[in-house]
Amino acid sequence: MPAVSAAACCAAATPANEVAEDLFGFLRVLSDGTILRSPADPVFCPTTFPVSHPSVEWKEAVYDKAKNLRVRMYKPAATSAGRLPVLVHFHGGGFCLGSCTWGNVHSFCLRLAADAGAVVLSAGYRLAPEHRLPAAFDDGACFMRWLREQSSVNAAEAADFGRVFVTGDSAGGTIAHHLAVRGGSSAAAEPGETADPFTVRGYVLLMPFFGGVRRTPSEAECPAEAFPNLELVDRFWRLSLPAGATRDHPASNPFGPDSPDLSAVNLRPVLVVAGGLDLIRDRTVDYAERLAAMGKPVELAEFAGKPHGFYLHEPGSEAAGELIQAVARFVDGFVAAPEAAA
């Protein structure tokens, strides 16, 4: 059922039509299935976040007109480093909330572009429960196709499309995982180094939003006052997974009973970031350890004492800078494509 404005349906939430699910008042689902979304800015996304950076230029475009999906593009204003790597970024929000236009996402992407020395493309996607999974994964794949087309017909001078990396925060990290699996499972999956001018070199999963029916210790021991807590995470999965699915669905659990065998997938290098205080910490570390045991090219960076999404809560912090430097080191491990002859 399509979403409707809160103002138009405020009278709908009567005792006979109660609120069944409520996400901070920004998203409410009534017992009859009506979905109410508030146009207000979220309280955890204050307007005090920086909206500009002295060394970064940015603009916004629509990459899918039919779905009204947007992308914000960030480019360091001046550089002597030649063409820059491209970081495709997908925001978080439990697949139900979030936008590339939110202030915390915007501020983080500004700093990511500046400090990592990269062109950053922050892409939106359709949200649940209006569009349940795998809609977000499909939109991520759609954006990658759009970007490939743009790289061939309207190549940006600053961008090295031979060094594309897919990054994502929380739910966006889950999108990055599924794009990596799709790319590594395709018939044309990277038989070796290729002359294709558009090449995805690796993936960066920032505290990916994974789930499962069995509780991990970090989930079971998560305090109720944490953000997110277990109740909120379960609500996100109820609203985003296909109707009737459990948290072991392949969309949420990369090692569930029906999930693809990752040992058979030709994965590109992956950087996985975990937070010591994140309730999803155990799943994140387990993911990296299992990939390593399969012989996959994976790196794990764990930030002790840090909660889920700390780099978005305080994008100007020293810890956020350390995380961005970890991403930059990962990206810098891939040699830049040679400049075309004049």
Side-chain angles (χ1 to χ4, degrees):
M1 177 178 294
V4 293
S5 70
C9 290
C10 60
T14 64
N17 190 17
E18 298 178 343
V19 175
E21 301 281 4
D22 190 340
L23 291 173
F24 313 110
F26 299 111
L27 170 65
R28 292 184 297 157
V29 181
L30 305 186
S31 56
D32 68 351
T34 299
I35 300 168
L36 311 178
R37 284 191 181 269
S38 170
D41 291 333
V43 294
F44 46 82
C45 183
T47 57
T48 54
F49 284 123
V51 297
S52 63
H53 191 287
S55 65
V56 176
E57 301 170 350
W58 71 275
K59 62 181 179 179
E60 186 174 308
V62 175
Y63 75 86
D64 188 320
K65 292 183 179 180
K67 299 171 186 171
N68 193 31
L69 295 177
R70 298 180 175 275
V71 55
R72 284 197 172 183
M73 299 170 279
Y74 304 82
K75 182 184 72 171
T79 177
S80 59
R83 292 188 297 161
L84 303 175
V86 177
L87 304 183
V88 174
H89 183 72
F90 295 103
H91 65 79
F95 299 108
C96 300
L97 303 174
S99 169
C100 64
T101 67
W102 277 16
N104 55 352
V105 177
H106 179 74
S107 183
F108 175 72
C109 288
L110 284 170
R111 188 173 185 188
L112 181 62
D115 290 7
V119 174
V120 175
L121 304 176
S122 179
Y125 51 90
R126 289 172 295 170
L127 299 176
E130 298 93 329
H131 306 283
R132 290 178 176 266
L133 296 172
F137 309 148
D138 294 341
D139 291 343
C142 174
F143 178 78
M144 297 305 293
R145 290 192 296 271
W146 177 85
L147 184 59
R148 176 183 287 273
E149 294 171 358
Q150 295 300 307
S151 71
S152 61
V153 302
N154 188 27
E157 292 182 4
D160 179 0
F161 288 104
R163 287 189 297 157
V164 177
F165 298 82
V166 179
T167 78
D169 156 57
S170 192
T174 312
I175 294 174
H177 160 75
H178 282 274
L179 292 181
V181 173
R182 290 187 184 190
S185 303
S186 65
E190 312 297 352
E193 292 304 316
T194 173
D196 188 345
F198 183 93
T199 305
V200 177
R201 296 289 184 176
Y203 298 82
V204 178
L205 280 57
L206 305 176
M207 303 185 178
F209 185 45
F210 292 140
V213 171
R214 180 187 62 82
R215 300 298 193 193
T216 66
S218 63
E219 290 172 341
E221 299 166 7
C222 178
E225 63 271 16
F227 181 83
N229 58 24
L230 198 57
E231 180 184 4
L232 176 60
V233 164
D234 286 351
R235 183 175 293 117
F236 279 142
W237 286 128
R238 286 197 301 272
L239 292 171
S240 64
L241 287 171
T246 74
R247 296 188 303 274
D248 276 339
H249 188 278
S252 56
N253 188 348
F255 304 109
D258 298 318
S259 298
D261 178 8
L262 298 186
S263 65
V265 177
N266 187 12
L267 289 177
R268 282 295 195 175
V270 182
L271 171 63
V272 181
V273 173
L277 295 183
D278 183 9
L279 87 163
I280 312 176
R281 180 262 174 199
D282 290 351
R283 293 192 186 278
T284 305
V285 172
D286 178 69
Y287 174 81
E289 290 178 344
R290 289 205 198 190
L291 290 187
M294 296 174 190
K296 305 302 181 184
V298 59
E299 299 178 29
L300 173 65
E302 183 167 1
F303 288 77
K306 293 301 179 184
H308 190 79
F310 68 90
Y311 39 85
L312 291 176
H313 306 320
E314 298 180 336
S317 67
E318 180 179 351
E322 292 174 358
L323 177 139
I324 291 174
Q325 287 308 307
V327 174
R329 287 192 296 271
F330 176 74
V331 170
D332 289 344
F334 297 82
V335 179
E339 297 289 344

